[in-house]
Amino acid sequence: MSAESSVSPGRDEHYLRVFRRFFRTWRGQRPFWAGLFTLLGGIPIAYLPYASLKLGHMTLSMSTTAGAGSLIIGVLLITLGLTMWFHAIVRVFAGVATILLALISIPVANLGGFIVGFLLALTGGALALSWGPGKPAAAAEPAATPEPKSEPDPAGAPVPEQWDGHGADVHETTIEANGGRNSAG
């Protein structure tokens, strides 16, 4: 291999750079942040009723009747977050279901995971509803080119082009208003 030989793109790249490029492409084709916020919102809603907090030798536990309901809501939110990632076509359903589950988690699951899970899930649902797939770069419409300006009249203001309705491209056949019949001549 000589110093003049070119390096083909993608061939000699570091594997982390390749992974990052593929991840950015994957992330751009789906509501990634909506799924992440929904997934992160489901974790505190499902976990906090079963968690035990230790303060010195004292253990605080949130064992209430909200355990089963919060576990179901949390697991459903995690599932909806993964659904947004891997099946972006159902993003509207997943977004509406996420918002409804987040609202239901306030009375059922200890104030929605102490408001943290509620806010994360609500944000994820709103992002899922607002996300739309983008157009590919090749299919994007080109920017409008500005019209060339006509040279101004030496007297000052430009003279607009006038059209009297009769030009070289007007044919002698006209359309009459009487039943759409044509007359030549």
Side-chain angles (χ1 to χ4, degrees), residues 35 38 75-85 93-95 97-98 101:
T38 302
V75 168
L76 283 174
L77 285 173
I78 291 170
T79 304
L80 286 171
L82 293 172
T83 300
M84 289 177 203
W85 280 354
F93 167 75
T98 298
L101 285 173

Side-chain angles (χ1 to χ4, degrees), residues 29-103:
Q29 296 172 348
R30 60 201 76 247
F32 176 77
W33 293 107
L36 183 67
F37 280 122
T38 302
L39 190 123
L40 291 177
I43 291 172
I45 290 174
Y47 176 73
L48 287 177
Y50 296 103
S52 296
L53 179 67
K54 294 191 185 248
L55 297 172
H57 296 292
M58 182 173 47
T59 302
L60 296 174
S61 179
M62 287 294 299
S63 298
T64 63
T65 57
S70 61
L71 182 65
I72 291 170
I73 291 172
V75 168
L76 283 174
L77 285 173
I78 291 170
T79 304
L80 286 171
L82 293 172
T83 300
M84 289 177 203
W85 280 354
F86 297 109
H87 297 288
I89 194 79
V90 294
R91 65 179 168 80
V92 174
F93 167 75
V96 170
T98 298
I99 290 173
L100 290 175
L101 285 173
L103 291 172

Side-chain angles (χ1 to χ4, degrees), residues 51-181:
S52 296
L53 179 67
K54 294 191 185 248
L55 297 172
H57 296 292
M58 182 173 47
T59 302
L60 296 174
S61 179
M62 287 294 299
S63 298
T64 63
T65 57
S70 61
L71 182 65
I72 291 170
I73 291 172
V75 168
L76 283 174
L77 285 173
I78 291 170
T79 304
L80 286 171
L82 293 172
T83 300
M84 289 177 203
W85 280 354
F86 297 109
H87 297 288
I89 194 79
V90 294
R91 65 179 168 80
V92 174
F93 167 75
V96 170
T98 298
I99 290 173
L100 290 175
L101 285 173
L103 291 172
I104 290 171
S105 74
I106 291 174
V108 172
N110 297 329
L111 295 175
F114 296 118
I115 306 295
V116 173
F118 163 73
L119 290 176
L120 286 170
L122 197 66
T123 304
L127 286 173
L129 288 176
S130 66
W131 184 84
K135 295 179 182 176
E141 294 180 16
T145 58
E147 292 291 325
K149 295 187 177 186
S150 62
E151 294 296 326
D153 189 33
V159 177
E161 182 180 330
Q162 296 181 359
W163 184 71
D164 61 350
H166 299 288
D169 59 348
V170 177
H171 297 93
E172 292 298 320
T173 304
T174 59
I175 299 175
E176 299 287 328
N178 56 356
R181 286 185 238 136

